[in-house]
Amino acid sequence: MYGWAGQRLRVDLSSGKITKEPLSYEYRRKWMGGRGFNSDIIYNEVPPHLDPFDPRARVCFGVGPVSGTAAPSTGRVTVTCKSPLTGGFGDSNMGGHWGAELKYAGYDQIVVQGRAKNPVYIWIDDDKVEIRDARHLWGKFPREADQMIKEELGDEDIHMMLIGPAGENMVRFACTFNDVWRAAGRTGTGGVIGSKNLKGIATRGSGTVKIANPKAMMDVCNRLRQVFKNDPMKIGLNVYGSLCLINVANRDGWFPWRNFQGGAHPLANNMSGETHAKTVLKHREGCFACPIGCGRFTHIKEGKWAGEEFGGPEYEHAVPTGPRVGILEDANDIWHNARLTNDYGMDGIETGAVISAAMEWYEKGLITTKETGGLELEWGNEEVVDKLIPMIATRQGFGAILAEGGDRAADKLGLGDEGHYYTITTRGMSLPGDDPRGLGFGYGLSFAMGTRGGCDHLRSLCCLELSGALYPGLNTKILGDERPNKPVTTVGKPYMVYYEENQKTTTDCLQVCCFTTHWSYAVLTPDQVEYLNAVTGLEFTEEEFQEIGERIINLERAYWARLMSGAREDVVPERFTKEPMPQGVDYQTNVGVVFPLSEMLKKYYKYRDYEPGTGFPSERKLKQLGLDYVAKDLAPLRSKYLSESEKKKKKYYY
Amino acid sequence: MSILTKAQAKNFAEMDDFMLELCDFLKSKGVIDAKIHRSILLKGFSRLVDYLQEKKAISAKEAKEAMEKGYTSLVYALAK
């Protein structure tokens, strides 16, 4: 077999049973790898109404057929579970080197189920797999546990997945790390791992990936590396990291100032990639086989936090506990907060989002110091943010309420619909630091339709509207029109989102970095098909490649449908559809814009062949994709969703 | 005989999002079948142009222009 390792490792932490399951040719061809393998397991093995923290729940780690090869950026891993944050389908993926190591150890996927009696970690040394005591690691930050395990196993070159204290405490938005700093941030995967008493998975792989056609593979990889040399997005990402977006976001009005009350601020440059590079950048880092190298390593040199170091931050990691909570004057506060969320192992986006929602509740008088335990949740109060992050991670005081995520916290505090208005979530998950009134209407449509909740920034990633203008002719080649490369327009956006979602999903199955295929468009679909075929020796077509993505999207959408989540929940927070964008700086391009979701939604449904009433995938579409069993699952739910009793239910999470 | 009338071409040219409707129309006229319809939606505009050129519904010059100028050029070519 070429490309794939051909087997799944299953570890049951309740019984201690470890099994290896072969992955058939048909299975691999249908689901490709990574996200596809994982989504299939969650759909079939985790009943939709099961508590995500129930020992019977699964958490999956998947890599793809080109993982560990010389194709651009092949080190990613998708982590998938039933999300404890949203209660629906959840996944997130991360860079680093662990994905390649898993493949070299001989696995395409790991499925963990059950719950260990005491904290443990899994040690994979090629075909030898052990469950080891981790009581001494419990409570440690990932960077501490990483070092301790390496010393314990006597090998500095081991790569591992780890969670932090937030995951151990089942914070609903705890994340999963590998190589210490590379996070699968979203949907609370770390909390599910923690609920199983699993601290991490250390891996050493001495194998290789068998390539069917080495010469063809080298030819395509060499050609793509030449393309990257002059790629405009590669250059920006390498020099300034994803913080290169700060000044762009500020100009185009999608910079998340104070929980999206504004979209631009005169001090934004304080935290730009340019400023970061001049002041605190220690060195740049790249993930496995990466031609871009967008990773940062930060060393704070001055002020209260002088001496602190950490890997990162990314744009999406820096803005939530920075401008989103009103902190912008001293960028060192922002770097410090990003370091804290990393160490405690929490999704930076959700952490900043829940704190900013609480700040807005406080501003509007919905809560007072009585509820917060004396914390004065004023915008920009770094002292409070610095206290709250550890309180959330360890579920102390008011932090224990926020550890539930914004919408659950609003309910626990009895804030009603007004409280939910400020949580800026869709299906229970907070939107990242990207305001669709400025970033783009394609992105906004994706926020409403994302199969893991209100998140698109690494999902459909319709960068044809963000960076498309840097690639003249590309929008025309795919969409037939250059106009969709303007963010604030509905022109071409329904088809853009349909196309990009399919494309990104299969990219997540290959487990290659989407910065090579979306932000940067150095690698296009035909290139991916070319290296996939060179590796596997099979003859995938572009249509088949895109159809695999479509199949997975429909499966994930069906998981939500089984929870009675459909058309009524395809929304974005009302702030974006009702409040015109205010002016923050005089050069801002989107003053007065509101986001017109409903115009695009109907058309998008037609591309997807979703039923207009329920929003569920149609029976016809499911059968076309070989998902007859899913069509059967949904059949009795279609009329139920349209019943009067269901219509009355307000669902902020599941 | 042209595939589109001038009025139909104008209507398509003014659409915010044309791809699905144009493909549906071409399918209803028997210019493309269900398989090609699906292939175009999965692969994008270039697949549509390639197919129409292959079927001689448009000339090589018109195909080149469509790839440079976009779908409005294509729909008016289909109305010639």
Side-chain angles (χ1 to χ4, degrees):
Chain A
M1 182 186 309
Y2 297 104
W4 294 275
Q7 62 177 351
R8 167 191 297 138
L9 176 68
R10 190 183 289 269
V11 180
D12 187 326
L13 293 173
S14 295
S15 66
K17 193 176 169 193
I18 295 165
T19 48
K20 292 166 190 172
E21 303 165 1
L23 299 170
S24 70
Y25 168 80
E26 292 75 21
Y27 187 82
R28 287 179 276 124
R29 193 101 192 196
K30 186 169 185 178
W31 300 110
M32 182 71 81
R35 178 170 160 189
F37 288 172
N38 289 359
S39 297
D40 170 66
I41 290 283
I42 296 301
Y43 187 91
N44 287 305
E45 298 188 15
V46 183
H49 295 286
L50 187 73
D51 182 341
F53 294 143
D54 188 294
R56 289 169 292 172
R58 269 62 161 158
V59 59
C60 311
F61 307 87
V63 296
V66 301
S67 296
T69 70
S73 294
T74 57
R76 294 193 81 84
V77 182
T78 291
V79 190
T80 312
C81 62
K82 181 176 192 286
S83 166
L85 178 68
T86 67
F89 177 86
D91 73 16
S92 192
N93 78 43
M94 54 187 173
H97 292 71
W98 185 56
E101 200 74 12
L102 266 186
K103 193 75 173 291
Y104 297 155
Y107 307 100
D108 295 309
Q109 188 190 31
I110 303 174
V111 176
V112 180
Q113 58 198 65
R115 178 183 293 151
K117 282 189 183 129
N118 295 304
V120 296
Y121 73 93
I122 297 168
W123 165 223
I124 300 172
D125 187 4
D126 287 331
D127 56 345
K128 285 188 289 183
V129 182
E130 296 173 31
I131 300 169
R132 295 173 70 110
D133 190 0
R135 279 175 289 189
H136 58 302
L137 303 171
W138 214 242
K140 300 292 182 194
F141 294 150
R143 61 183 157 91
E144 296 167 328
D146 181 87
Q147 203 48 48
M148 289 167 77
I149 291 173
K150 283 175 176 167
E151 281 168 20
E152 193 171 305
L153 297 172
D155 189 343
E156 273 293 313
D157 293 330
I158 288 168
H159 293 280
M160 63 191 94
M161 174 286 288
L162 284 164
I163 60 165
E168 297 165 9
N169 293 317
M170 292 184 278
V171 170
R172 288 185 185 271
F173 45 90
C175 58
T176 304
F177 290 91
N178 84 97
D179 288 350
V180 180
W181 307 113
R182 312 307 301 182
R186 309 239 62 196
T187 73
T189 57
V192 176
I193 295 168
S195 76
K196 299 187 174 307
N197 269 330
L198 179 65
K199 182 67 179 176
I201 304 175
T203 309
R204 179 166 52 200
S206 62
T208 187
V209 182
K210 281 176 73 182
I211 310 285
N213 190 340
K215 182 174 180 312
M217 183 62 178
M218 286 317 293
D219 287 349
V220 62
C221 292
N222 286 336
R223 176 169 56 77
L224 292 174
R225 272 167 213 285
Q226 291 303 316
V227 175
F228 272 108
K229 276 189 180 169
N230 298 312
D231 182 75
M233 281 306 287
K234 180 256 173 181
I235 294 164
L237 283 166
N238 177 264
V239 177
Y240 299 123
S242 56
L243 289 172
C244 70
L245 286 174
I246 294 287
N247 285 328
V248 177
N250 204 49
R251 179 197 66 201
D252 291 342
W254 48 277
F255 185 70
W257 177 245
R258 291 187 178 178
N259 204 26
F260 299 98
Q261 289 181 4
H265 193 279
L267 296 180
N269 189 50
N270 284 1
M271 64 173 299
S272 68
E274 293 85 335
T275 305
H276 180 274
K278 275 186 220 153
T279 55
V280 292
L281 176 66
K282 190 175 179 189
H283 60 258
R284 296 177 174 87
E285 296 185 331
C287 300
F288 182 86
C290 181
I292 296 176
C294 73
R296 313 285 92 180
F297 198 91
T298 296
H299 174 88
I300 303 175
K301 292 174 190 154
E302 293 173 352
K304 201 172 166 186
W305 318 114
E308 289 190 3
E309 288 192 332
F310 69 103
E314 303 291 328
Y315 171 91
E316 295 292 2
H317 186 195
V319 295
T321 45
R324 193 160 176 168
V325 295
I327 293 172
L328 195 51
E329 205 155 307
D330 182 354
N332 287 331
D333 290 338
I334 301 172
W335 316 140
H336 165 75
N337 295 340
R339 198 273 297 166
L340 278 181
T341 53
N342 259 355
D343 272 350
Y344 283 97
M346 288 192 293
D347 176 12
I349 296 172
E350 208 64 50
T351 306
V354 74
I355 294 173
S356 68
M359 284 178 164
E360 195 151 5
W361 297 334
Y362 188 82
E363 179 187 51
K364 301 289 191 293
L366 299 178
I367 58 171
T368 66
T369 49
K370 194 177 153 201
E371 285 82 12
T372 68
L375 295 171
E376 292 178 359
L377 289 176
E378 288 149 344
W379 295 113
N381 188 339
E382 168 58 18
E383 201 180 319
V384 161
V385 175
D386 175 51
K387 273 186 194 158
L388 255 180
I389 293 172
M391 284 171 71
I392 294 169
T394 54
R395 289 184 171 271
Q396 301 295 310
F398 187 60
I401 295 173
L402 299 189
E404 293 292 292
D407 285 317
R408 280 185 171 79
D411 284 349
K412 279 185 185 289
L413 293 162
L415 305 182
D417 287 347
E418 194 181 354
H420 288 289
Y421 184 90
Y422 301 118
T423 57
I424 315 295
T425 58
T426 294
R427 290 188 166 84
M429 188 155 84
S430 297
L431 270 59
D434 314 312
D435 192 319
R437 291 171 293 184
L439 176 61
F441 291 172
Y443 267 90
L445 176 57
S446 308
F447 289 142
M449 298 309 305
T451 57
R452 63 177 182 177
C455 185
D456 168 77
H457 78 289
L458 290 175
R459 203 65 178 172
S460 94
L461 204 67
C462 46
C463 288
L464 285 169
E465 70 177 0
L466 174 62
S467 52
L470 296 172
Y471 300 87
L474 182 60
N475 269 270
T476 302
K477 181 180 159 70
I478 297 170
L479 309 175
D481 196 350
E482 282 300 280
R483 291 174 300 165
N485 74 27
K486 291 192 171 48
V488 182
T489 174
T490 57
V491 173
K493 298 304 165 75
Y495 182 53
M496 177 191 283
V497 174
Y498 169 80
Y499 179 89
E500 290 279 56
E501 279 183 335
N502 293 344
Q503 214 289 341
K504 174 63 167 55
T505 302
T506 316
T507 295
D508 287 346
C509 295
L510 296 180
Q511 294 300 156
V512 300
C513 179
C514 59
F515 282 9
T516 66
T517 57
H518 287 72
W519 263 43
S520 153
Y521 284 91
V523 182
L524 299 174
T525 310
D527 303 313
Q528 289 186 289
V529 172
E530 192 179 340
Y531 65 57
L532 172 65
N533 288 341
V535 169
T536 61
L538 301 175
E539 291 179 348
F540 284 94
T541 61
E542 250 186 276
E543 286 93 334
E544 186 180 1
F545 184 93
Q546 293 286 89
E547 187 176 76
I548 290 168
E550 188 176 34
R551 180 178 299 120
I552 294 161
I553 289 164
N554 276 271
L555 184 79
E556 294 168 358
R557 176 84 175 170
Y559 195 85
W560 287 98
R562 290 197 295 168
L563 288 158
M564 294 283 103
S565 179
R568 281 189 296 278
E569 291 72 33
D570 291 337
V571 293
V572 294
E574 288 183 317
R575 168 154 284 164
F576 303 126
T577 55
K578 287 187 172 169
E579 297 180 23
M581 172 59 71
Q583 182 150 22
V585 294
D586 57 8
Y587 50 85
Q588 190 178 337
T589 60
N590 67 335
V591 176
V593 170
V594 291
F595 173 59
L597 175 64
S598 56
E599 279 181 42
M600 295 179 288
L601 205 54
K602 279 183 195 163
K603 200 108 189 204
Y604 171 86
Y605 269 34
K606 285 185 182 168
Y607 280 108
R608 282 263 166 254
D609 200 1
Y610 289 165
E611 285 183 339
T614 61
F616 293 180
S618 71
E619 188 180 340
R620 175 182 52 226
K621 174 56 71 178
L622 292 169
K623 287 184 173 170
Q624 182 185 51
L625 295 168
L627 300 175
D628 299 54
Y629 62 101
V630 178
K632 208 171 158 189
D633 290 343
L634 299 195
L637 305 178
R638 296 181 193 276
S639 55
K640 189 181 170 192
Y641 184 77
L642 297 173
S643 68
E644 288 308 311
S645 59
E646 278 296 324
K647 280 183 192 168
K648 283 178 195 157
K649 290 179 189 167
K650 280 214 165 182
K651 297 169 199 158
Y652 293 106
Y653 49 85
Y654 298 83
Chain B
M1 199 174 99
S2 58
I3 292 169
L4 299 177
T5 63
K6 290 229 170 1
Q8 284 167 332
K10 185 170 181 287
N11 182 38
F12 279 115
E14 286 171 355
M15 280 182 182
D16 256 14
D17 190 298
F18 73 95
M19 186 67 99
L20 183 59
E21 284 177 61
L22 181 59
C23 288
D24 285 351
F25 179 86
L26 294 174
K27 191 173 145 206
S28 73
K29 289 279 176 190
V31 178
I32 61 174
D33 63 15
K35 197 177 161 195
I36 297 298
H37 182 281
R38 178 145 178 75
S39 170
I40 292 165
L41 289 185
L42 288 170
K43 285 180 72 173
F45 182 70
S46 62
R47 174 75 174 111
L48 171 62
V49 173
D50 287 348
Y51 183 78
L52 292 173
Q53 187 190 346
E54 193 184 304
K55 290 289 156 192
K56 303 199 186 315
I58 55 172
S59 67
K61 190 180 165 214
E62 286 166 337
K64 189 168 176 276
E65 268 183 21
M67 291 310 297
E68 283 166 9
K69 296 178 182 168
Y71 82 99
T72 50
S73 163
L74 176 70
V75 293
Y76 285 117
L78 290 172
K80 276 182 189 167

